[in-house]
């Protein structure tokens, strides 16, 4: 039996089986479904498949210029090396990763678009031989002048409408700002960033003469077979893509990596399986990055502290042919009031590696600016930052007057202030000192737009009552296996060990993929819908009412009867497929998750060093499906926020477009010594408009605003405002008065 049961989110939901919590597993901090495989090293990642077979290995040949034409590629010396099987070059080499949901990656078409762009790939019997031979490929270029600096606005263009409508306005901001009693106008800059996932982009591909199988580290399987088909010429129905385990992605693997395309073409060319793992330098130079930004924030307010108008204008970067942009204003659309508004974005075109989605695209950079601006304006007005936000809490979305589906921002702020001890905040900068250390508190709001994406899942119940969930969804380390297991177990009244989950196979029901904080809510809702269909089938076999049928511990309970599931199935296997789609609720309400961050720092008056002493995050993201994995997501966001505030900076040589710090030796990320004991509090919440689960995204909420809370704390500690991220010690030292060195 195979049904397709679809639920369109046109109406708000009422009480559901999840609220009954009959089985008692939903929301609990259940251990990871795949945890034992990972800690024992037996979970197979992309590069580890076909370990016992005779396979070949690939290595990329990078371009040694930033912009120009390829005149010739001489592969003869490389091909003469013993063990080299093939050198692939030509116009169809892909220049970087594909954009999320794009039909294909961009091919080089005889051009160089950025430094270290792939121009060829060497395939050999061993990785070492392929790497050696890659150095022997001779490429001649006709070099042209490139553009590498966002401040030199050579080519400025309006972005595509991905991931948001780039330019939105309401009323007459310029007039309202000119008439405002208080005018705030500051510019903030953020550098480029790398996702730097633990597992590099890697692929194993096998062509058997009729079918192409690709194991790759990829977040969004729905579009992957089609993207590979475009580049290989193989029919899409003859391509299977597997991605069961992923060692982090953070958006960088939403688009297909160049390794996948090259490995697929290579296995077809040589007739044996091919493995390609990008080196860390390749990952930094040949996949994607977050675009640098220049953000101007203007806010008009009354002297009493009411915001009257709001503008957030962003310049960001991308390479030619790419319409994606860093949507820094995405939360500015709804977070703060102002009848007259401008939210605008421009792409400054540069000849550097393309930019694309990185965790919390928009919020991660935009809230570094806006949450700093709110702190600055509050200080100008002489109002506590918490109280200033309370005074400016809008009743409806200020951009379009839609009601909020649920908005618990002030509850998060109030709970955080209470737990953190905000009332003890130093009243003035540099007023609290411990030896060489000046102590300060800072806070920020957090928000992340919520999306429900089309997603499908199959549940098969075997004759012994065991359930198996299958969906093309992926798990990038966030706990997807576990929460889908919990949803199915709760709905079907099964112990967790009676539910299996299979993910990461393009032959399974097409899922939302992992990204955008939509994965758990979307894929989980499709499991919910499939579970309801299965319950209806069980009820029909019992001639019972599906609404009142109770499932618990592998039994169906109705009336005065309790029947084991195998007795209902009578040797049969039931298979149903459920699908979720967004509907009118997404149009009629504005949906987002909310939170607040509170931070205490110490700033050293001698070195300018900043140390995080405490960091608290309070979040409200609808129903929490697994408290343990949700909290872990927040820890990751907090740590990444520390990196954005103090360390991370993808340095681009403005003379030639070279990404200078292209590995983890030079691209600095927080280590254990940088991170204090973290605290996360998740408020009880339900959003009936968001999905049948009443949940919303949390993974990207946790990074939004953290960096601003830290730099606001730096100001409270020492009086230095950071508007050019990251807050490295040289920037802090430059603003410290000499008399701070005087002993307390």
């Amino acid at each position: 039996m195979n049904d397709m049961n679809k639920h369109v989110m046109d109406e708000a939901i009422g009480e559901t089986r999840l609220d009954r919590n009959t089985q008692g597993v939903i929301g609990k901090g259940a251990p990871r479904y795949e945890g034992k495989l990972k800690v024992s090293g037996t979970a197979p990642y992309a590069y580890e498949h076909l370990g016992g077979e005779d396979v070949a290995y690939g290595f990329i040949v990078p371009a040694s210029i930033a912009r120009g034409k390829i005149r010739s590629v001489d592969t003869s010396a490389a091909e003469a090396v013993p063990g080299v099987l093939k050198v692939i070059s030509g116009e169809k080499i892909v220049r970087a990763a594909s954009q999320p949901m794009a039909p294909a990656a961009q091919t080089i078409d005889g051009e160089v678009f950025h430094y270290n762009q792939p121009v060829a790939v060497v395939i050999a019997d061993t990785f070492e031989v392929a790497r050696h031979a890659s150095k022997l490929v001779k490429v001649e270029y006709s070099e042209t002048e490139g553009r590498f600096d966002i401040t030199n606005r050579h080519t400025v263009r309006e972005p595509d409408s991905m991931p948001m409508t780039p330019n939105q306005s309401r009323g007459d901001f310029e007039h309202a700002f000119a008439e405002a009693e208080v005018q705030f106008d500051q510019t903030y800059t953020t550098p480029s960033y790398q996702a730097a996932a633990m597992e590099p982009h890697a692929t194993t591909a096998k062509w058997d003469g009729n079918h192409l199988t690709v194991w790759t580290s990829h977040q969004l399987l729905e579009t992957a077979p089609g993207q590979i088909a475009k580049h290989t010429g193989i029919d899409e129905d003859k391509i299977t893509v597997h991605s069961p385990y992923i060692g982090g992605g953070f958006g960088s693997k939403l688009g297909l990596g160049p390794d996948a395309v090259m490995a697929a073409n290579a296995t077809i060319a040589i007739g044996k399986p091919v493995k390609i793992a990008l080196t860390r330098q390749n990952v930094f130079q040949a996949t994607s990055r977050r675009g640098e930004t220049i953000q101007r924030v203007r806010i008009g307010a009354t002297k009493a502290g009411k915001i009257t108008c709001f503008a957030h204008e962003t310049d960001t970067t991308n390479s030619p042919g790419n319409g994606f942009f860093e949507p820094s204003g995405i939360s500015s659309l709804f977070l703060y009031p102002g009848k007259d508004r401008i939210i605008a974005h421009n792409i400054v075109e540069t000849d550097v590696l393309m930019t694309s989605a990185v965790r919390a695209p928009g919020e991660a950079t935009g809230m570094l600016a806006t949450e700093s601006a709110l702190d600055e304006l509050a200080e100008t007005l002489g109002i506590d930052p918490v109280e200033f936000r309370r005074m400016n809490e809008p009743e409806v979305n200020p951009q379009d007057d839609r009601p909020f589906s649920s908005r618990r921002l002030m509850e998060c702020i109030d709970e955080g202030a209470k737990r953190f001890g905000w009332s003890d905040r130093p009243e003035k900068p540099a007023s609290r000192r411990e030896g060489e250390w000046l102590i300060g508190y800072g806070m920020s709001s957090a928000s992340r737009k919520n999306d429900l994406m089309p997603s499908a899942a199959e549940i098969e119940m075997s004759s012994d009552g065991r359930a198996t969930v299958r969906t093309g969804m992926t798990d990038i380390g966030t706990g997807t296996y576990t929460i889908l297991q919990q949803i199915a177990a709760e709905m079907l009244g099964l112990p967790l060990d009676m539910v299996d989950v299979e993910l990461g196979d393009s032959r399974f029901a097409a899922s939302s993929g992992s990204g955008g904080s939509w994965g758990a809510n979307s894929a989980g809702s499709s499991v919910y819908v499939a579970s309801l269909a299965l319950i209806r089938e069980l009820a029909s076999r019992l001639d019972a009412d599906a609404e009142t049928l109770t499932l618990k511990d592998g039994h169906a309970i109705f009336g005065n009867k309790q029947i084991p599931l195998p007795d209902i199935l009578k040797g049969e296997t039931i298979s149903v497929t459920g699908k979720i789609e967004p509907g009118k609720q997404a149009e009629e309400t504005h949906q987002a998750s909310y939170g607040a961050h509170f931070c205490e720092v110490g700033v050293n008056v001698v070195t300018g060093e900043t140390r995080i002493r405490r960091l608290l995050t309070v979040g409200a993201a609808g129903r929490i499906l697994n408290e343990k994995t949700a909290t872990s997501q927040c820890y990751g966001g907090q740590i990444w926020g520390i990196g954005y505030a103090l360390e991370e900076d993808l340095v681009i040589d403005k003379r030639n477009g070279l990404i200078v710090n292209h590995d983890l030796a030079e691209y600095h990320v927080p280590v254990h010594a940088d991170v204090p004991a973290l605290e996360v509090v998740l408020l009880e919440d339900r959003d009936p408009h968001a999905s049948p689960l009443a949940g919303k995204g949390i993974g990207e909420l946790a990074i939004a605003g953290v960096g601003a809370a830290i730099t606001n704390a730096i100001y409270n500690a020492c009086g230095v405002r950071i508007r050019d991220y990251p807050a490295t010690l040289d920037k802090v030292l430059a603003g410290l008065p000499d008399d701070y060195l005087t002993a307390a």
Side-chain angles (χ1 to χ4, degrees):
M1 175 180 180
N2 197 333
D3 297 331
M4 173 62 79
N5 300 273
K6 183 167 71 174
H7 180 92
V8 181
M9 198 63 194
D10 284 334
E11 303 290 339
I13 61 164
E15 184 181 281
T16 70
R17 286 180 176 268
L18 294 178
D19 295 301
R20 300 176 198 172
N21 203 19
T22 305
Q23 193 62 28
V25 296
I26 199 67
K28 298 293 191 300
R32 286 181 180 266
Y33 174 83
E34 82 292 10
K36 290 182 180 179
L37 293 176
K38 287 182 174 177
V39 299
S40 64
T42 53
Y45 289 83
Y47 197 70
E48 298 171 324
H49 289 275
L50 306 185
E53 295 193 26
D54 179 23
V55 300
Y57 299 84
F59 201 90
I60 285 175
V61 179
S64 58
I65 65 168
R67 197 70 172 98
K69 298 278 189 180
I70 298 173
R71 293 173 53 194
S72 65
V73 180
D74 182 358
T75 63
S76 58
E79 290 171 328
V81 174
V84 171
L85 304 173
K86 184 81 174 177
V87 180
I88 300 174
S89 62
E91 296 182 345
K92 299 305 180 184
I93 294 288
V94 292
R95 70 193 224 195
S98 62
Q99 291 288 1
M101 304 176 196
Q106 296 166 314
T107 50
I108 65 175
D109 300 321
E111 290 192 63
V112 174
F113 293 89
H114 61 86
Y115 213 113
N116 281 324
Q117 164 195 297
V119 294
V121 60
V122 176
I123 311 299
D125 286 333
T126 68
F127 170 83
E128 290 78 12
V129 168
R131 180 177 58 186
H132 166 67
S134 72
K135 309 295 184 186
L136 304 179
V137 176
K138 306 291 185 184
V139 184
E140 292 189 0
Y141 307 95
S142 294
E143 191 170 359
T144 56
E145 187 175 353
R147 304 155 298 173
F148 314 119
D149 187 352
I150 187 175
T151 63
N152 294 331
R153 304 172 88 245
H154 305 280
T155 304
V156 180
R157 54 186 169 89
E158 185 171 319
D160 295 341
S161 293
M162 187 180 77
M164 63 174 281
T165 302
N167 298 311
Q168 302 179 51
S169 62
R170 185 176 188 180
D172 186 345
F173 172 82
E174 299 296 348
H175 175 76
F177 187 68
E179 296 294 318
E181 293 179 342
V182 178
Q183 298 171 340
F184 176 86
D185 186 350
Q186 286 291 350
T187 297
Y188 303 84
T189 63
T190 63
S192 183
Y193 301 109
Q194 238 291 333
M198 185 184 302
E199 179 197 19
H201 293 62
T203 298
T204 300
K206 182 178 182 178
W207 169 249
D208 66 6
N210 185 58
H211 196 90
L212 177 64
T213 305
V214 178
W215 295 266
T216 190
S217 189
H218 188 55
Q219 296 175 232
L220 182 60
L221 290 193
E222 183 179 358
T223 55
Q227 291 174 334
I228 293 172
K230 289 278 188 181
H231 291 289
T232 60
I234 304 297
D235 291 341
E236 187 174 342
D237 61 3
K238 294 183 177 181
I239 300 172
T240 301
V241 180
H242 297 277
S243 196
Y245 301 103
I246 304 169
F250 312 114
S252 71
K253 297 173 183 174
L254 278 170
L256 201 68
D259 51 293
V261 174
M262 294 177 184
N265 278 321
T267 187
I268 294 168
I270 68 172
K272 64 188 294 187
V274 173
K275 292 176 180 280
I276 297 179
L278 301 189
T279 65
R280 186 60 64 182
Q281 292 81 8
N282 290 153
V283 170
F284 273 64
Q285 301 275 13
T287 57
S288 63
R289 63 189 177 97
R290 194 194 294 272
E292 56 269 60
T293 71
I294 301 173
Q295 303 175 54
R296 184 184 184 189
V297 179
R298 290 182 288 168
I299 305 172
T302 67
K303 293 179 180 178
K306 282 287 189 178
I307 293 174
T308 58
C309 55
F310 194 100
H312 187 183
E313 298 159 291
T314 300
D315 278 357
T316 187
T317 60
N318 213 334
S319 57
N322 282 288
F324 180 93
F325 65 102
E326 177 67 18
S328 296
I330 195 166
S331 278
S332 297
L333 290 168
F334 61 87
L335 197 55
Y336 296 115
K339 184 179 69 171
D340 301 282
R341 315 171 58 78
I342 296 174
I343 311 298
H345 301 82
N346 287 311
I347 288 179
V348 178
E349 200 167 85
T350 58
D351 300 305
V352 185
L353 174 67
M354 79 173 198
T355 68
S356 189
V358 180
R359 186 177 187 174
E363 294 94 345
T365 54
M367 297 188 77
L368 291 175
T370 56
E371 292 303 301
S372 297
L374 262 288
D375 197 77
E376 291 198 50
L377 182 53
E379 189 219 10
T380 298
L381 295 167
I383 301 173
D384 181 271
V386 166
E387 185 58 30
F388 187 48
R389 286 165 172 80
R390 189 189 317 283
M391 294 170 58
N392 288 287
E393 177 68 351
E395 295 182 359
V396 296
N397 181 2
Q399 196 71 25
D400 56 19
D401 295 329
R402 279 188 296 166
F404 296 115
S405 62
S406 71
R407 177 171 168 130
R408 302 194 62 192
L409 174 59
M410 283 314 305
E411 289 96 324
C412 291
I413 291 175
D414 289 343
E415 181 67 19
K418 177 183 175 182
R419 286 175 176 266
F420 190 79
W422 182 254
S423 59
D424 295 330
R425 174 177 179 257
E427 291 186 9
K428 295 181 179 180
S431 62
R432 185 174 300 173
R433 184 165 180 166
E434 297 176 6
E436 293 182 354
W437 296 92
L438 295 170
I439 313 303
Y441 290 6
M443 62 82 57
S444 74
S445 300
S447 64
R448 168 66 185 175
K449 185 180 182 297
N450 183 70
D451 289 304
L452 182 67
M453 304 293 282
S455 194
E458 176 196 10
I459 300 180
E460 179 182 273
M461 181 169 281
S462 57
S463 59
D464 61 356
R466 188 175 195 85
T468 301
V469 176
R470 296 187 182 95
T471 172
M473 182 62 177
T474 54
D475 188 332
I476 53 177
T478 53
T480 304
Y481 278 102
T482 311
I483 60 172
L484 298 188
Q485 181 194 39
Q486 287 176 274
I487 293 168
E490 188 65 59
M491 293 291 291
L492 300 175
L494 294 173
L496 285 173
D497 60 7
M498 285 292 288
V499 179
D500 295 315
V501 182
E502 298 177 10
L503 303 179
D505 189 322
S506 63
R507 296 169 298 182
F508 294 163
S511 181
S512 62
S514 296
S517 285
W518 61 59
N521 212 22
S522 303
S525 291
S526 64
V527 172
Y528 171 92
V529 174
S531 297
L532 287 179
L534 192 53
I535 292 167
R536 289 194 294 270
E537 174 61 23
L538 292 171
S540 70
R541 294 184 178 213
L542 294 169
D543 196 23
D545 180 10
E547 289 296 321
T548 59
L549 180 67
T550 296
L551 299 177
K552 182 173 174 58
D553 295 331
H555 291 74
I557 305 169
F558 68 106
N560 293 319
K561 300 177 183 178
Q562 180 169 310
I563 303 175
L565 293 179
D567 291 355
I568 304 171
L569 296 165
K570 296 179 179 179
E572 291 186 49
T573 293
I574 303 175
S575 178
V576 297
T577 300
K579 185 174 183 179
I580 184 71
E581 288 186 358
K584 294 178 182 177
Q585 290 299 297
E587 302 166 2
E588 295 174 356
T589 65
H590 185 275
Q591 300 175 13
S593 300
Y594 296 94
H597 308 289
F598 290 82
C599 180
E600 178 184 342
V601 303
V603 177
N604 191 288
V605 297
V606 178
T607 66
E609 171 190 359
T610 297
R611 289 187 184 174
I612 313 298
R613 294 161 63 113
R614 290 189 293 148
L615 183 57
L616 164 68
T617 292
V618 181
R623 183 193 303 277
I624 299 301
L625 300 171
N626 183 310
E627 186 178 18
K628 182 183 293 186
T629 57
T631 300
S632 179
Q633 285 272 286
C634 292
Y635 288 152
Q638 290 175 310
I639 293 167
W640 208 337
I642 292 171
Y644 276 16
L646 303 179
E647 302 175 46
E648 294 192 48
D649 182 355
L650 194 64
V651 178
I652 299 164
D653 191 326
K654 295 179 181 179
R655 300 168 300 176
N656 56 20
L658 174 67
I659 294 174
V660 177
N661 53 341
H662 54 198
D663 56 36
L664 293 175
E666 296 294 335
Y667 183 79
H668 295 160
V669 298
V671 297
H672 285 81
D674 300 316
V675 181
L678 304 174
E679 185 178 1
V680 172
V681 176
L682 303 176
L683 300 186
E684 183 73 17
D685 192 22
R686 299 287 187 274
D687 190 335
H689 307 276
S691 76
L693 306 179
K696 294 184 285 193
I698 196 169
E700 292 171 296
L701 172 72
I703 189 176
V706 175
I710 294 169
T711 53
N712 290 341
I714 291 174
Y715 175 79
N716 183 245
C718 68
V720 177
R721 282 287 182 195
I722 299 297
R723 303 188 184 100
D724 176 26
Y725 285 89
T728 48
L729 57 85
D730 55 312
K731 298 172 187 174
V732 175
L733 275 175
L736 291 177
D738 291 339
D739 60 5
Y740 279 13
L741 292 174
T742 305

